[in-house]
Amino acid sequence: MGTPDVVIAGGGPAGLATAIRARLAGLEVVVLEAAGPPIDKACGEGLMPDGADVLAGLGVELESVENCAFRGIRYIDGDLVAEGRFPGAPGLGIRRTVLHAALKRRAEDVGVDLRWGTRVLGLVAGGFATDRGLVTGRWLVGADGRTSRVRRWAGLDGRKAKRRRIGLRRHYAIEPWTDLVEVSWHDRCEAYVTPVGDRLVGVAMLFEGGPNDFDALLTGFPALRKRLLGAPVASTDRGAGPLEQRCRRVATGQLALVGDAAGYLDAITGEGLALAFHQAEAVVEAMLAGRLGPYVSSHRRLVRYPTAVTRLLLEVERRPRLRRRVMTSLAGDPSLMSRFLALKMRRDGPSLLGPGGLVPLSVAVLRG
């Protein structure tokens, strides 16, 4: 193999999806990753329907592996419950390791050069310096996660975020009690419950301040704690944070950033995986066009509505009074909840951002 068309630093889901898409477009691809597969990390493990669609288009086979379909999302705040269901295909709850293994198999099938155990040491002109020598390519991709070194080496880090939100994740061996992802609210903390198997659920805590201890956080959700009482813990607790990482620009010269390396606001919407897979498609389209400018524009469109939802939910998380108002609106108008889910999937944005929508309502509450 001569000089590859694409060299990707990072072999997680974002890097592998980008590699698969590039190979399907006829490009030669090398992936550099220090860890060995399958790679695990703290993650809500819910894949929204549009993200599952992208994976299907890449030929990633998930039907024969353990996963669990979820039909929508349920928000719980004390006695208020608001839920909405996806209008078409469901989302997928899937263990991060299972998803990574499926992506790896597909990458191998299409001929990606996967170099596990290769540590990227620096960004140089035309390539990456590694502990196994220089690897050059026409296009370079940083897919090395939320605290991306590639982003820092390229001078693309943004200003340091003020908030320091943390995520913790644990699995329980228990049969899922609903076909929805459940999000329970408590002061300065949310609990996300995602079904990921026939007898397996993942519980992710997102919080700021307070104890950095899963069991202590769980006491803030008595109904959930009661439901999980006696269920065996099925994984080692994993954490990540601070969550927000800012990025000045997602591409420069021959280098593009994808996945969490392209900037990360918060895990509160569960959009990370789906967004990464959309980015993979967009960046390869730009490569085929011969310049990365179109990727910058596509990325801006991809994140516009999900970012609006994330900022709204973060404001809701901080202000209980606002949260109750928003929850009351969602609980009382099922169509509003459905449009809210559509906005999370980059659809139907104007109907929620325009007159009578959820976002103007929240702004009015904030001002009042």
Side-chain angles (χ1 to χ4, degrees):
M1 179 179 178
T3 301
D5 299 298
V6 186
V7 182
I8 301 172
L16 291 180
T18 303
I20 294 165
R21 179 66 184 88
R23 279 298 296 139
L24 292 175
L27 302 178
E28 296 295 329
V29 187
V30 171
V31 173
L32 310 171
E33 171 57 56
I39 298 174
D40 199 4
K41 66 169 281 189
C43 174
E45 299 181 327
L47 182 59
M48 297 292 281
D50 57 317
D53 287 345
V54 175
L55 283 188
L58 294 176
V60 179
E61 199 281 306
L62 297 178
E63 291 185 4
S64 64
V65 302
E66 184 177 26
N67 64 73
C68 190
F70 60 90
R71 305 289 173 178
I73 298 177
R74 173 183 294 141
Y75 288 104
I76 303 170
D77 185 10
D79 59 340
L80 287 173
V81 178
E83 65 181 55
R85 293 181 177 265
F86 304 125
L92 286 179
I94 182 168
R95 281 285 280 115
R96 181 67 170 232
T97 49
V98 174
L99 174 63
H100 190 264
L103 284 160
K104 171 183 172 288
R105 284 192 296 272
R106 180 57 174 160
E108 291 171 339
D109 289 345
V110 299
V112 175
D113 183 357
L114 299 169
R115 302 185 186 180
W116 307 108
T118 301
R119 186 181 178 199
V120 177
L121 303 176
L123 176 66
V124 300
F128 293 109
T130 81
D131 58 355
R132 300 184 182 184
L134 179 64
V135 184
T136 61
R138 181 184 178 194
W139 303 108
L140 307 177
V141 176
D144 54 336
R146 187 175 43 82
T147 58
S148 170
R149 292 187 301 162
V150 173
R151 183 179 65 224
R152 175 165 51 84
W153 293 331
L156 297 176
D157 269 339
R159 296 191 309 275
K160 188 175 181 179
K162 294 180 180 179
R163 299 194 67 180
R164 298 184 63 82
R165 295 248 296 165
I166 305 294
L168 287 178
R169 186 212 65 193
R170 176 187 289 180
H171 296 92
Y172 289 88
I174 185 174
E175 183 178 349
W177 53 88
T178 177
D179 62 353
L180 304 174
V181 169
E182 283 191 344
V183 183
S184 298
W185 298 88
H186 183 58
D187 291 344
R188 313 295 280 184
C189 184
E190 310 91 54
Y192 284 69
V193 181
T194 304
V196 294
D198 291 340
R199 289 197 55 81
L200 190 65
V201 300
V203 182
M205 299 287 185
L206 301 180
F207 62 98
E208 184 174 19
N212 189 8
D213 178 83
F214 192 97
D215 291 308
L217 293 167
L218 188 59
T219 61
F221 304 93
L224 176 60
R225 186 168 179 265
K226 181 179 179 181
R227 194 180 283 277
L228 295 173
L229 190 64
V233 174
S235 67
T236 301
D237 292 359
R238 282 184 173 268
L243 296 177
E244 184 176 359
Q245 302 290 326
R246 298 177 180 178
C247 180
R248 294 194 299 108
R249 186 177 172 87
V250 297
T252 181
Q254 68 182 126
L255 171 71
L257 302 173
V258 298
D260 294 350
Y264 193 82
L265 182 53
D266 198 88
I268 198 167
T269 62
E271 281 291 297
L273 286 172
L275 178 58
F277 299 150
H278 283 291
Q279 290 171 346
E281 295 213 310
V283 75
V284 173
E285 287 180 11
M287 291 174 183
L288 296 175
R291 59 191 186 92
L292 294 178
Y295 173 57
V296 176
S297 300
S298 295
H299 183 272
R300 191 177 298 117
R301 289 192 297 271
L302 285 171
V303 302
R304 180 188 175 194
Y305 292 142
T307 296
V309 172
T310 300
R311 293 194 183 283
L312 168 63
L313 290 179
L314 286 173
E315 205 60 52
V316 162
E317 180 268 335
R318 293 176 61 189
R319 306 192 183 197
R321 175 171 170 263
L322 171 63
R323 187 170 70 238
R324 297 289 291 184
R325 288 285 300 274
V326 170
M327 281 289 296
T328 299
S329 297
L330 289 173
D333 186 349
S335 68
L336 193 59
M337 186 65 183
S338 296
R339 285 185 287 152
F340 176 70
L341 293 185
L343 186 63
K344 282 167 60 63
M345 295 185 290
R346 286 157 286 276
R347 304 171 186 165
D348 197 34
S351 68
L352 272 176
L353 297 174
L358 179 62
V359 175
L361 166 67
S362 303
V363 171
V365 174
L366 283 170
R367 290 175 176 171

